[in-house]
């Protein structure tokens, strides 16, 4: 009995290995970012890779359309790590369509069409990329790398898919009044939190659509964090 179990396990392992070896990676040319359709054809156990490049921060809209059932499309970063996925259910007579919308940082990405043993049929892909103005410096996603906010200068930023916070800072030589303006251009709600030099909260603002306020602030460094919905914003401080 023990020998039979061992033989069965060995057979299962061989079958799994054979299935894994049957998958095939198919590399395609770079996808254009001008809303041009790219046609593809899926066969069983294939994975189709389409690279594209975001030259600057901006909003990606990927429209995927399948003429077969249970199609899977993924967005991957340059290291082929997936971070977004949709399933599309279509047929030859009635295609299924899904849109994927994300704010991206500059870099190389992939749109991948995933297959399995039963997936077969036609699909189409279309990308559109809208660049956003962005003055952000590297590392401003926490207060250690807070970006300097010069008095009177408007800075543009974007909360991308990987940003939880963007941080900015300015320094007052003495207690003074500062005039702070922030305008969110995101579809959802963004927030701003103002901290003193010890990272103690002074004020949180929950509506950044045209926010402007005079604030009495202590001497030293002040931090401003932007968080919430993904998308662009602008901020400026007079002090």
């Amino acid at each position: 009995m023990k020998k039979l179990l061992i033989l069965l396990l060995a057979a299962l392992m061989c079958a799994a290995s054979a299935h894994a070896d049957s998958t095939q990676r198919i590399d395609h040319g770079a996808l254009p970012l001008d809303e041009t359709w790219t046609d593809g054809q899926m066969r069983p156990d294939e994975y189709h890779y389409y690279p594209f490049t975001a030259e600057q921060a901006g909003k990606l809209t990927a429209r995927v359309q399948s003429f077969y059932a249970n199609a899977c499309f993924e967005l991957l970063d340059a290291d082929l790590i997936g971070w977004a996925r949709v399933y599309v259910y279509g047929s030859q007579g009635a295609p299924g369509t899904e849109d994927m919308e994300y704010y991206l940082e500059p870099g190389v990405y992939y749109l991948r069409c995933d297959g399995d043993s039963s997936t077969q049929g036609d699909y189409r892909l279309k990308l559109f990329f809208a660049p956003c103005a962005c003055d952000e410096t590297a590392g401003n996603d926490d207060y250690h790398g807070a970006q300097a906010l010069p008095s009177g200068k408007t800075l543009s930023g974007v909360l991308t898919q990987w940003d939880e916070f963007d941080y900015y800072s300015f320094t007052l030589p003495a207690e003074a009044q500062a005039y702070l303006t922030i305008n969110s251009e995101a579809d959802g709600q963004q927030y701003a939190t103002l901290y003193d030099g010890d990272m103690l909260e002074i004020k949180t603002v929950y509506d950044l659509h045209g926010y402007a306020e005079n604030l009495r602030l202590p001497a030293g460094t002040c931090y401003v964090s932007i968080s919430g919905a993904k998308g662009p914003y602008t901020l400026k401080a007079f002090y």
Side-chain angles (χ1 to χ4, degrees):
M1 184 66 178
K2 186 176 180 180
K3 182 181 289 188
L4 179 60
L5 288 173
I6 292 173
L7 290 173
L8 286 173
L9 286 172
L12 288 171
M13 290 175 65
C14 288
S17 176
H19 176 72
D21 292 341
S22 68
T23 61
Q24 185 177 3
R25 170 172 172 161
I26 310 295
D27 287 294
H28 297 271
L31 287 173
L33 302 177
D34 59 0
E35 295 188 279
T36 300
W37 281 112
T38 296
D39 297 319
Q41 186 175 55
M42 174 60 67
R43 296 179 179 83
D45 294 325
E46 290 182 347
Y47 285 76
H48 292 216
Y49 288 77
Y50 293 87
F52 63 94
T53 301
E55 299 291 349
Q56 63 187 90
K59 183 180 181 180
L60 172 76
T61 300
R63 174 162 291 179
V64 294
Q65 190 171 79
S66 171
F67 294 82
Y68 59 93
N70 200 34
C72 179
F73 298 89
E74 288 190 82
L75 287 169
L76 314 175
D77 65 17
D79 296 320
L80 302 183
I81 296 174
W83 47 271
R85 175 187 297 165
V86 294
Y87 290 92
V88 185
Y89 298 87
S91 66
Q92 192 60 40
T97 306
E98 294 286 345
D99 286 342
M100 307 170 76
E101 295 183 341
Y102 296 94
Y103 284 93
L104 304 183
E105 298 174 0
V108 175
Y109 299 90
Y110 291 85
L111 179 56
R112 185 174 72 187
C113 184
D114 299 346
D116 61 31
S117 60
S118 62
T119 51
Q120 186 164 347
D122 298 327
Y123 63 84
R124 298 199 298 171
L125 313 170
K126 180 166 67 173
L127 300 187
F128 175 72
F129 188 78
C132 296
C134 186
D135 302 312
E136 290 183 55
T137 56
N140 77 330
D141 52 356
D142 70 36
Y143 80 97
H144 295 290
Q147 182 173 346
L149 180 58
S151 181
K153 182 176 181 179
T154 299
L155 296 183
S156 298
V158 184
L159 282 174
T160 67
Q161 181 65 25
W162 296 273
D163 289 332
E164 187 175 358
F165 299 96
D166 285 344
Y167 272 88
Y168 300 86
S169 68
F170 56 93
T171 301
L172 301 175
E175 181 179 323
Q177 183 168 277
Y179 184 63
L180 182 64
T181 65
I182 307 174
N183 186 55
S184 170
E185 300 172 28
D187 293 332
Q189 189 173 13
Q190 292 182 331
Y191 314 95
T193 302
L194 184 66
Y195 299 92
D196 66 13
D198 293 328
M199 288 301 294
L200 298 177
E201 182 180 334
I202 297 173
K203 183 181 183 68
T204 294
V205 182
Y206 296 97
D207 184 2
L208 298 183
H209 293 94
Y211 165 75
E213 187 176 7
N214 281 305
L215 300 162
R216 193 71 183 177
L217 299 175
T221 300
C222 294
Y223 296 94
V224 181
S225 74
I226 308 295
S227 60
K230 310 304 182 185
Y233 59 86
T234 59
L235 75 163
K236 179 167 60 175
F238 287 97
Y239 52 89

